[in-house]
Amino acid sequence: MTTPIEPPDSTLARRARDLLHECCEPHIVGHSERSFQFAALTARTEGVELDMEVLYIGTLLHDVGLAARFAGPDRFEMRGANAARTMLLEADMARARAENVWDVIALHASTAIATHKSPETKLANRGISIDVRGAGAERLPPDAVRAVLDAWPRHEFPSAFSTTLIDEVRSNPSAVRSSWMECIAVAHVPGFEPADFLSTLHSSASFA
């Protein structure tokens, strides 16, 4: 019987897991656990060498910025990345590794950029995408995918996570302008006007 991948058992890894479970809703906890599993499975399947502790901490905490504890005016990716980096640096993680975790979290929904960053950032992005979209799971061993879905059931995730994202956008609409969440604001925030870069550019014609 296939079992999920064992995560790192370091002090920092346990601290990250405790933080996730303490401050995040169950559907985000499950999503984060599955995302790490899919990222680690992808690395194993493709023979990618990486820093498993960085991958685990970054992937596990990639949505922690959505927790009420980390509310603020910045986009939730930045809030989570900044909180994780502070925690890791205060625990004496090497700055380069802490910055790598920052990248994993800050760029987790920016595939076009994450693809060109560290193996940990790239693989986290792919694992998270598999859990959000389902696409890509077919390239992983079916029994391993089944083991992950059995360990952390996904049944209510699409509906629950949609509500979380809508609530985030409604409480902080200015932060999502020109981001991947802008379409949510257009649909769910009355009066929200999407960014129009070309209009802004042309309006600067008098600046000569």
Side-chain angles (χ1 to χ4, degrees):
M1 178 180 176
T2 301
T3 58
I5 291 176
E6 281 293 325
D9 192 33
S10 66
T11 299
L12 284 176
R14 292 193 297 273
R15 188 169 173 183
R17 186 175 188 275
D18 288 345
L19 176 62
L20 172 71
H21 285 256
E22 286 169 8
C23 69
C24 290
E25 296 293 328
H27 65 278
I28 292 180
V29 172
H31 165 55
S32 302
E33 297 276 12
R34 290 190 304 270
S35 294
F36 164 71
Q37 291 290 324
F38 292 139
L41 281 170
T42 301
R44 175 188 290 179
T45 300
E46 299 180 0
V48 178
E49 294 186 6
L50 43 67
D51 185 329
M52 190 61 76
E53 186 180 53
V54 165
L55 179 70
Y56 180 69
I57 294 172
T59 309
L60 214 63
L61 299 182
H62 77 273
D63 278 341
V64 76
L66 290 169
R69 183 184 302 186
F70 302 109
D74 297 319
R75 274 172 54 175
F76 82 90
E77 301 102 308
M78 303 299 102
R79 303 197 305 262
N82 291 339
R85 179 174 59 190
T86 297
M87 179 187 78
L88 296 173
L89 289 176
E90 288 178 349
D92 295 324
M93 175 180 270
R95 178 167 287 277
R97 297 180 72 224
E99 295 293 351
N100 199 359
V101 171
W102 192 95
D103 281 355
V104 170
I105 298 173
L107 300 174
H108 78 262
S110 301
T111 301
I113 302 173
T115 299
H116 298 279
K117 295 291 287 184
S118 69
E120 296 79 18
T121 303
K122 179 178 179 179
L123 268 295
N125 172 267
R126 290 175 63 185
I128 293 162
S129 180
I130 287 172
D131 193 58
V132 170
R133 304 172 187 274
E138 70 280 359
R139 293 192 288 270
L140 301 176
D143 57 340
V145 173
R146 184 72 266 158
V148 173
L149 294 175
D150 287 345
W152 297 279
R154 190 181 181 278
H155 308 304
E156 305 302 322
F157 174 67
S159 175
F161 196 50
S162 294
T163 298
T164 295
L165 293 178
I166 291 169
D167 288 346
E168 166 65 19
V169 167
R170 284 175 172 166
S171 66
N172 204 10
S174 62
V176 305
R177 197 173 301 280
S178 298
S179 79
W180 63 274
M181 298 179 75
E182 187 175 65
C183 62
I184 301 174
V186 170
H188 295 281
V189 178
F192 181 88
E193 292 290 337
D196 186 343
F197 175 77
L198 290 180
S199 176
T200 301
L201 177 63
H202 288 305
S203 69
S204 72
S206 61
F207 179 61

